[in-house]
Amino acid sequence: QVLLVESGGGLVQAGGSLRLSCTASRLSFSSFAMGWFRQAPGKEREFIAAISWSGGSFYADSVKGRFTISRDNAKNTVYLQMNSLKPEDTAVYYCARSIQRYSDSNTASYNYWGQGTQVTVSS
């Protein structure tokens, strides 16, 4: 069974930091782009950040300058470093593997998804 497992979520005060990890099992990793998305209650899933197979990255405007995506192909793991967290960052965060090498913000470009990890930012 293919698995993407997120970890690192939790409760943090506004202004704090968290680092999310997502590890892939039984899934080709290094040749594909990876993405992070989030979904808040009552809202649609939204794109946060993506990283290409070669390490190029881009971000949603809402997190640019605060979040950093990175990957370690030797560990089949993608990370999301989240700094200066705000209450509006509260959501379930999902990692996903793309169908292609290059980064994309469209959820339809991702065919494998993790189960999500809750991030709650208190004011």
Side-chain angles (χ1 to χ4, degrees):
Q1 183 181 357
V2 170
L3 289 176
L4 286 172
V5 179
E6 301 99 336
S7 62
L11 174 64
V12 64
Q13 289 190 329
S17 298
L18 283 174
R19 188 194 194 202
L20 305 183
S21 300
C22 171
T23 299
S25 301
R26 294 181 288 279
L27 179 65
S28 180
F29 180 85
S30 62
S31 298
F32 294 89
M34 297 293 296
W36 284 98
F37 296 76
R38 67 186 180 189
Q39 188 166 18
K43 295 187 177 181
E44 292 188 354
R45 192 168 298 189
E46 66 170 341
F47 167 77
I48 296 300
I51 187 166
S52 72
W53 70 284
S54 59
S57 60
F58 77 105
Y59 301 88
D61 287 343
S62 59
V63 305
K64 198 174 297 182
R66 299 189 298 124
F67 291 10
T68 303
I69 189 171
S70 60
R71 65 190 298 161
D72 185 339
N73 289 338
K75 296 182 178 179
N76 280 5
T77 300
V78 61
Y79 304 97
L80 186 68
Q81 178 66 45
M82 305 186 295
N83 299 328
S84 302
L85 282 161
K86 305 174 182 180
E88 52 264 43
D89 293 318
T90 296
V92 177
Y93 283 69
Y94 299 89
C95 71
R97 199 208 75 172
S98 176
I99 59 176
Q100 59 194 13
R101 291 191 169 202
Y102 297 98
S103 306
D104 194 328
S105 61
N106 189 342
T107 56
S109 296
Y110 294 81
N111 58 344
Y112 292 104
W113 293 81
Q115 293 300 307
T117 185
Q118 177 70 47
V119 171
T120 303
V121 184
S122 63
S123 57

